[in-house]
Amino acid sequence: MSILSYAAKRLFVSIWVLFGASILIFGIVHLVPGDPARVTLGRFADREAVEGVRQEMGLNDPLYVQYSDWLVGTLTGDWGNSLISNQPVLTLIVERFPKSIELALFALAIAVVISLPLGIMGALNRSTKTDQATLFFSQIGIAIPNFWLGIMLALIFGRYLGVLPASGSVAFTEDPVQNIRHLILPGVSLGILAAAVLTRYMRSEMIDQLNKDYVTTARAFGHPKKRIVWKYTLKNALIPYVTMLGMQFGFLIGGVVVIETVFAYGGVGQLILNGLLNRDYPIVQMSLLILAGTFILVNLVVDIVYGYLNPRISY
Amino acid sequence: MVYGKIVSFARNGFHDGSQFHLAYKRFRSHRLGVIGLVIVIGYLFFAIAGPIIVPRDPTAMDSASRLAGPSMAHPFGTDHYGRDVFTRTVVGARASLQVAVLSVGFATIAGVTFGLVSGFFRGYVDEAIMRAVDVMLAFPSILLALVVIAILGPGLNRTILALGIAYTPLMLRITRGSALSVREEEYVTAAVAYGERSWNVMFKEMFPNLFPTVIVQATITFAFAILVEAALSYLGLSAQPPTVTWGIMISEGQEVLTVNPWMSIFPGLAIIVTVLGLTFLGIGLRDSLDAQEDGTIGGGFQ
């Protein structure tokens, strides 16, 4: 099978998954115990108001009509209004989504900067004190709750040292320096888990490669070790690392919900949390859909890139 | 059937040279695994006996000493109502244990059952189950948990169900992977040819061989459940006060962070130590049982 048909097959799977996810998210409103309109308005709302919301949410139509209306609306940009503030959901999300992506990308960059050198260092100094220290870091990084780390970093760097802002965000177009400064603390808190996982991953992939026959052969032919490491093993180890990177990016997108709340960052994550606490279903649905959609898209790209980088895999 | 296996393990499994004995010997000399086991036993002890053995009432307010730092009387200090943070940290272990045990238990039972069915029958059954898993894996597990919370509303029991559902596809996938390879073994083919009932083949023949993989994955998932429960209760989506959880304590502490940071520091440290203990135990079990894991804890850490 060629790379093209492989890509087509993966695309097909992604479309199916997105379809399934949309049904699940659409179902949120309908699986809520009781009348969602009543749940939204509270126990003391009068009958007319409830009926109004039912009409607005289209709850009186048959399910498949509701779903297809919802799907068409979603695809054409009619995402409804917030039940609380009455602002269009599309505007709210379009404002905040790029900020969340920016945060996740920044966290990913931090994870790469930490994990790549640590992983390589650990693998090259296997079973030494350096290696142990690397593994210990990654173990702590996995065990630390990211929101707690965020609070501690905000306390130390924001409050005690006063060197970095501990809440809010600034657009890059407005002030690039302030933008980066506002990203550092949430980025580190969010990225530390990915850094820890990627460090382990890089280390074990690198060790795998160093144990391969081609390394022994190259050594026997008298190639200097440095050249083998940097020219061959590193390149081979980077292929699975890049795939893992994409997966981690997906998890970072899930992590923004928590970290954005810690730092009052004002992205989609905070939108979801407030929506959940206020039972503002249109916001919750569309925000979850956009994050799940991003996650699916990233995984699709990662799989195709992996297929391209590693022609040996059987499609 | 499985119960019988365990009983016979307990009676006979300890003979020198038995699989169980070998694994036990390997585990005993696995330093990290033993450290993990000790931490986990300590955690279980506090979570189960904690509310009985703590000297104070976790909700008792001492208005004379509010927001105090660590002292002899209050080793972890006091919170904004003058409640003892040490007592509350010990008591908070229980909520995390409750959520983790029940959600991982749910995910393990559901994941192993469907994973075995998928790996045993293969073909269309496997296709159908795996396509559903694909959809569930379209969400990072915290988002999937949020979908369930969006439906059921916040609360401790709902968090348990949410996490149980969120972790099911992960348990399912790893069980199916191992089941597919065990399915090819001769004793499984023999059992099928012999006309043994499918259910028996799955649970009597195949499951004992997947057990190491399942137990290692469950231990690691347990650690993640504690982390995610803490995050959800920090966000106000899990248990509500006056229930004491580590996440709620950290969130309450954040409001008075500059006055008394200890209120947030100690419950956070409790989470770190517990999760470290569980991952160490998971690594120890993996290495001594010679099991697979999905790569979350990565290469050997000896």
Side-chain angles (χ1 to χ4, degrees), chain B residues 258-298:
Chain B
T258 49
V259 191
N260 182 14
W262 300 107
M263 242 179 98
S264 296
I265 292 177
F266 284 111
L269 292 178
I271 297 172
I272 296 176
V273 171
T274 309
V275 173
L276 268 183
L278 283 160
T279 41
F280 286 172
L281 178 64
I283 292 169
L285 288 173
R286 180 198 62 195
D287 293 348
S288 49
L289 291 169
D290 203 13
Q292 303 162 14
E293 49 122 359
D294 68 359
T296 22
I297 51 175

Short mmCIF file of all heavy atoms in Angstrom, two decimals, chain B residues 258-298:
data_model
loop_
_atom_site.label_atom_id
_atom_site.label_comp_id
_atom_site.label_asym_id
_atom_site.label_seq_id
_atom_site.Cartn_x
_atom_site.Cartn_y
_atom_site.Cartn_z
N THR B 258 -0.59 33.72 49.80
CA THR B 258 0.50 34.60 50.24
C THR B 258 0.57 34.70 51.76
O THR B 258 1.61 35.00 52.32
CB THR B 258 0.32 36.00 49.64
OG1 THR B 258 -1.03 36.42 49.87
CG2 THR B 258 0.58 35.97 48.15
N VAL B 259 -0.57 34.41 52.43
CA VAL B 259 -0.56 34.48 53.89
C VAL B 259 -0.01 33.18 54.47
O VAL B 259 0.86 33.19 55.34
CB VAL B 259 -1.98 34.72 54.45
CG1 VAL B 259 -1.91 35.05 55.92
CG2 VAL B 259 -2.68 35.80 53.67
N ASN B 260 -0.52 32.05 53.98
CA ASN B 260 -0.06 30.76 54.51
C ASN B 260 0.06 29.72 53.39
O ASN B 260 -0.85 28.94 53.15
CB ASN B 260 -1.04 30.25 55.59
CG ASN B 260 -0.58 28.94 56.18
OD1 ASN B 260 0.57 28.54 55.99
ND2 ASN B 260 -1.46 28.27 56.90
N PRO B 261 1.21 29.72 52.70
CA PRO B 261 1.37 28.79 51.57
C PRO B 261 1.33 27.32 52.00
O PRO B 261 1.04 26.45 51.18
CB PRO B 261 2.74 29.15 51.01
CG PRO B 261 3.43 29.91 52.08
CD PRO B 261 2.38 30.58 52.89
N TRP B 262 1.59 27.03 53.30
CA TRP B 262 1.65 25.63 53.75
C TRP B 262 0.34 24.91 53.51
O TRP B 262 0.32 23.70 53.33
CB TRP B 262 1.99 25.58 55.25
CG TRP B 262 3.30 26.22 55.53
CD1 TRP B 262 3.52 27.42 56.13
CD2 TRP B 262 4.60 25.72 55.18
NE1 TRP B 262 4.86 27.70 56.19
CE2 TRP B 262 5.55 26.66 55.61
CE3 TRP B 262 5.05 24.55 54.54
CZ2 TRP B 262 6.91 26.50 55.43
CZ3 TRP B 262 6.41 24.39 54.36
CH2 TRP B 262 7.33 25.34 54.79
N MET B 263 -0.75 25.66 53.53
CA MET B 263 -2.06 25.06 53.32
C MET B 263 -2.16 24.34 51.98
O MET B 263 -2.87 23.35 51.86
CB MET B 263 -3.10 26.18 53.34
CG MET B 263 -4.10 26.08 54.43
SD MET B 263 -5.19 27.48 54.29
CE MET B 263 -6.55 26.75 53.41
N SER B 264 -1.47 24.87 50.97
CA SER B 264 -1.46 24.21 49.66
C SER B 264 -0.29 23.26 49.52
O SER B 264 -0.37 22.27 48.81
CB SER B 264 -1.37 25.24 48.54
OG SER B 264 -2.50 26.05 48.52
N ILE B 265 0.82 23.60 50.18
CA ILE B 265 2.05 22.81 49.97
C ILE B 265 1.86 21.36 50.43
O ILE B 265 2.15 20.42 49.68
CB ILE B 265 3.25 23.47 50.70
CG1 ILE B 265 3.58 24.79 50.01
CG2 ILE B 265 4.46 22.53 50.70
CD1 ILE B 265 4.70 25.57 50.68
N PHE B 266 1.34 21.17 51.65
CA PHE B 266 1.31 19.81 52.20
C PHE B 266 0.40 18.84 51.45
O PHE B 266 0.83 17.72 51.15
CB PHE B 266 1.01 19.84 53.70
CG PHE B 266 2.21 20.26 54.50
CD1 PHE B 266 2.23 21.48 55.16
CD2 PHE B 266 3.34 19.46 54.57
CE1 PHE B 266 3.33 21.89 55.89
CE2 PHE B 266 4.46 19.85 55.29
CZ PHE B 266 4.46 21.07 55.94
N PRO B 267 -0.84 19.24 51.13
CA PRO B 267 -1.64 18.27 50.35
C PRO B 267 -1.00 17.94 49.00
O PRO B 267 -1.08 16.80 48.54
CB PRO B 267 -2.99 18.96 50.16
CG PRO B 267 -2.92 20.27 50.82
CD PRO B 267 -1.62 20.41 51.53
N GLY B 268 -0.31 18.92 48.40
CA GLY B 268 0.39 18.67 47.14
C GLY B 268 1.49 17.63 47.33
O GLY B 268 1.64 16.71 46.52
N LEU B 269 2.26 17.78 48.41
CA LEU B 269 3.32 16.81 48.68
C LEU B 269 2.73 15.43 48.92
O LEU B 269 3.29 14.42 48.48
CB LEU B 269 4.15 17.25 49.90
CG LEU B 269 5.00 18.51 49.69
CD1 LEU B 269 5.74 18.87 50.98
CD2 LEU B 269 6.00 18.31 48.55
N ALA B 270 1.58 15.38 49.59
CA ALA B 270 0.93 14.09 49.83
C ALA B 270 0.60 13.40 48.50
O ALA B 270 0.80 12.20 48.34
CB ALA B 270 -0.34 14.28 50.66
N ILE B 271 0.12 14.20 47.53
CA ILE B 271 -0.20 13.63 46.22
C ILE B 271 1.08 13.11 45.56
O ILE B 271 1.11 11.98 45.05
CB ILE B 271 -0.86 14.69 45.30
CG1 ILE B 271 -2.19 15.16 45.88
CG2 ILE B 271 -1.07 14.13 43.89
CD1 ILE B 271 -2.80 16.34 45.14
N ILE B 272 2.13 13.93 45.59
CA ILE B 272 3.37 13.53 44.92
C ILE B 272 3.90 12.22 45.49
O ILE B 272 4.24 11.29 44.75
CB ILE B 272 4.44 14.63 45.05
CG1 ILE B 272 3.96 15.89 44.32
CG2 ILE B 272 5.78 14.16 44.50
CD1 ILE B 272 4.90 17.06 44.48
N VAL B 273 3.96 12.13 46.84
CA VAL B 273 4.50 10.93 47.47
C VAL B 273 3.66 9.71 47.10
O VAL B 273 4.18 8.66 46.74
CB VAL B 273 4.57 11.11 49.01
CG1 VAL B 273 4.93 9.80 49.69
CG2 VAL B 273 5.58 12.19 49.36
N THR B 274 2.34 9.85 47.16
CA THR B 274 1.46 8.72 46.85
C THR B 274 1.63 8.27 45.40
O THR B 274 1.78 7.07 45.13
CB THR B 274 -0.02 9.12 47.06
OG1 THR B 274 -0.14 9.69 48.36
CG2 THR B 274 -0.93 7.94 46.93
N VAL B 275 1.65 9.23 44.48
CA VAL B 275 1.77 8.87 43.07
C VAL B 275 3.14 8.26 42.78
O VAL B 275 3.26 7.28 42.04
CB VAL B 275 1.50 10.10 42.17
CG1 VAL B 275 1.79 9.78 40.72
CG2 VAL B 275 0.07 10.54 42.32
N LEU B 276 4.19 8.83 43.41
CA LEU B 276 5.53 8.24 43.25
C LEU B 276 5.51 6.79 43.73
O LEU B 276 6.02 5.89 43.05
CB LEU B 276 6.55 9.02 44.08
CG LEU B 276 7.28 10.17 43.41
CD1 LEU B 276 8.29 10.75 44.38
CD2 LEU B 276 7.99 9.70 42.15
N GLY B 277 4.92 6.56 44.91
CA GLY B 277 4.86 5.21 45.47
C GLY B 277 4.18 4.25 44.51
O GLY B 277 4.67 3.14 44.26
N LEU B 278 3.07 4.69 43.93
CA LEU B 278 2.33 3.82 43.02
C LEU B 278 3.11 3.54 41.74
O LEU B 278 3.11 2.42 41.24
CB LEU B 278 0.97 4.45 42.68
CG LEU B 278 -0.07 4.31 43.79
CD1 LEU B 278 -1.18 5.33 43.63
CD2 LEU B 278 -0.65 2.89 43.77
N THR B 279 3.78 4.56 41.19
CA THR B 279 4.55 4.31 39.96
C THR B 279 5.75 3.41 40.26
O THR B 279 6.07 2.53 39.47
CB THR B 279 5.01 5.59 39.26
OG1 THR B 279 5.45 6.53 40.23
CG2 THR B 279 3.90 6.22 38.46
N PHE B 280 6.40 3.62 41.40
CA PHE B 280 7.51 2.73 41.79
C PHE B 280 7.02 1.29 41.89
O PHE B 280 7.64 0.36 41.38
CB PHE B 280 8.11 3.15 43.13
CG PHE B 280 8.94 4.40 43.06
CD1 PHE B 280 9.42 4.99 44.23
CD2 PHE B 280 9.25 4.99 41.85
CE1 PHE B 280 10.19 6.15 44.18
CE2 PHE B 280 10.01 6.15 41.79
CZ PHE B 280 10.49 6.73 42.97
N LEU B 281 5.87 1.13 42.57
CA LEU B 281 5.29 -0.22 42.71
C LEU B 281 4.99 -0.80 41.33
O LEU B 281 5.27 -1.97 41.06
CB LEU B 281 4.02 -0.15 43.56
CG LEU B 281 3.27 -1.46 43.77
CD1 LEU B 281 4.13 -2.44 44.55
CD2 LEU B 281 1.95 -1.23 44.49
N GLY B 282 4.43 0.04 40.45
CA GLY B 282 4.11 -0.41 39.10
C GLY B 282 5.36 -0.88 38.36
O GLY B 282 5.36 -1.92 37.70
N ILE B 283 6.45 -0.11 38.49
CA ILE B 283 7.71 -0.48 37.82
C ILE B 283 8.24 -1.79 38.40
O ILE B 283 8.66 -2.70 37.67
CB ILE B 283 8.75 0.65 37.98
CG1 ILE B 283 8.29 1.87 37.18
CG2 ILE B 283 10.11 0.18 37.51
CD1 ILE B 283 9.11 3.12 37.48
N GLY B 284 8.16 -1.91 39.75
CA GLY B 284 8.63 -3.13 40.41
C GLY B 284 7.84 -4.35 39.95
O GLY B 284 8.42 -5.40 39.63
N LEU B 285 6.53 -4.20 39.87
CA LEU B 285 5.68 -5.30 39.43
C LEU B 285 5.97 -5.65 37.98
O LEU B 285 6.06 -6.82 37.61
CB LEU B 285 4.20 -4.95 39.60
CG LEU B 285 3.66 -4.91 41.03
CD1 LEU B 285 2.24 -4.38 41.04
CD2 LEU B 285 3.71 -6.30 41.65
N ARG B 286 6.12 -4.61 37.15
CA ARG B 286 6.37 -4.85 35.74
C ARG B 286 7.65 -5.65 35.55
O ARG B 286 7.69 -6.64 34.83
CB ARG B 286 6.50 -3.53 34.99
CG ARG B 286 6.77 -3.70 33.51
CD ARG B 286 7.30 -2.44 32.89
NE ARG B 286 8.59 -2.08 33.50
CZ ARG B 286 9.15 -0.88 33.37
NH1 ARG B 286 8.54 0.06 32.70
NH2 ARG B 286 10.32 -0.63 33.94
N ASP B 287 8.71 -5.21 36.25
CA ASP B 287 10.00 -5.88 36.08
C ASP B 287 9.98 -7.29 36.65
O ASP B 287 10.59 -8.20 36.09
CB ASP B 287 11.11 -5.06 36.74
CG ASP B 287 11.32 -3.75 36.00
OD1 ASP B 287 10.78 -3.61 34.88
OD2 ASP B 287 12.02 -2.87 36.54
N SER B 288 9.28 -7.50 37.79
CA SER B 288 9.36 -8.83 38.39
C SER B 288 8.33 -9.79 37.80
O SER B 288 8.54 -11.00 37.82
CB SER B 288 9.21 -8.75 39.92
OG SER B 288 8.10 -7.98 40.27
N LEU B 289 7.24 -9.26 37.25
CA LEU B 289 6.26 -10.15 36.62
C LEU B 289 6.53 -10.31 35.13
O LEU B 289 5.86 -11.06 34.44
CB LEU B 289 4.84 -9.62 36.80
CG LEU B 289 4.26 -9.63 38.20
CD1 LEU B 289 2.97 -8.84 38.25
CD2 LEU B 289 4.00 -11.06 38.65
N ASP B 290 7.52 -9.53 34.64
CA ASP B 290 7.87 -9.61 33.24
C ASP B 290 6.66 -9.25 32.37
O ASP B 290 6.32 -9.94 31.43
CB ASP B 290 8.34 -11.03 32.90
CG ASP B 290 9.21 -11.03 31.66
OD1 ASP B 290 9.61 -9.92 31.26
OD2 ASP B 290 9.47 -12.11 31.11
N ALA B 291 5.99 -8.15 32.75
CA ALA B 291 4.75 -7.77 32.07
C ALA B 291 4.99 -6.63 31.09
O ALA B 291 6.06 -6.03 31.07
CB ALA B 291 3.71 -7.35 33.09
N GLN B 292 3.96 -6.35 30.28
CA GLN B 292 4.03 -5.21 29.37
C GLN B 292 3.28 -4.06 29.98
O GLN B 292 2.45 -4.23 30.83
CB GLN B 292 3.35 -5.55 28.04
CG GLN B 292 3.90 -6.76 27.36
CD GLN B 292 2.91 -7.27 26.33
OE1 GLN B 292 1.96 -6.60 25.96
NE2 GLN B 292 3.15 -8.49 25.89
N GLU B 293 3.59 -2.85 29.49
CA GLU B 293 2.77 -1.71 29.85
C GLU B 293 2.69 -0.82 28.63
O GLU B 293 3.40 -1.04 27.66
CB GLU B 293 3.36 -0.98 31.07
CG GLU B 293 4.83 -0.70 30.92
CD GLU B 293 5.17 0.76 31.01
OE1 GLU B 293 4.27 1.58 31.17
OE2 GLU B 293 6.35 1.06 30.89
N ASP B 294 1.81 0.16 28.68
CA ASP B 294 1.56 0.92 27.45
C ASP B 294 2.60 1.99 27.18
O ASP B 294 2.43 2.81 26.29
CB ASP B 294 0.15 1.51 27.46
CG ASP B 294 0.01 2.59 28.52
OD1 ASP B 294 0.99 2.85 29.23
OD2 ASP B 294 -1.08 3.18 28.63
N GLY B 295 3.67 2.01 27.95
CA GLY B 295 4.75 2.93 27.65
C GLY B 295 4.69 4.22 28.44
O GLY B 295 5.54 5.09 28.29
N THR B 296 3.68 4.35 29.34
CA THR B 296 3.59 5.60 30.11
C THR B 296 4.77 5.75 31.06
O THR B 296 5.20 6.85 31.33
CB THR B 296 2.29 5.68 30.93
OG1 THR B 296 1.80 4.38 31.11
CG2 THR B 296 1.29 6.56 30.23
N ILE B 297 5.25 4.64 31.61
CA ILE B 297 6.37 4.80 32.51
C ILE B 297 7.70 4.46 31.84
O ILE B 297 8.75 4.60 32.42
CB ILE B 297 6.21 4.01 33.83
CG1 ILE B 297 5.84 2.57 33.56
CG2 ILE B 297 5.22 4.69 34.75
CD1 ILE B 297 5.78 1.72 34.80
N GLY B 298 7.62 4.07 30.57
CA GLY B 298 8.81 3.96 29.75
C GLY B 298 9.87 2.99 30.23
O GLY B 298 9.59 2.05 30.95
#
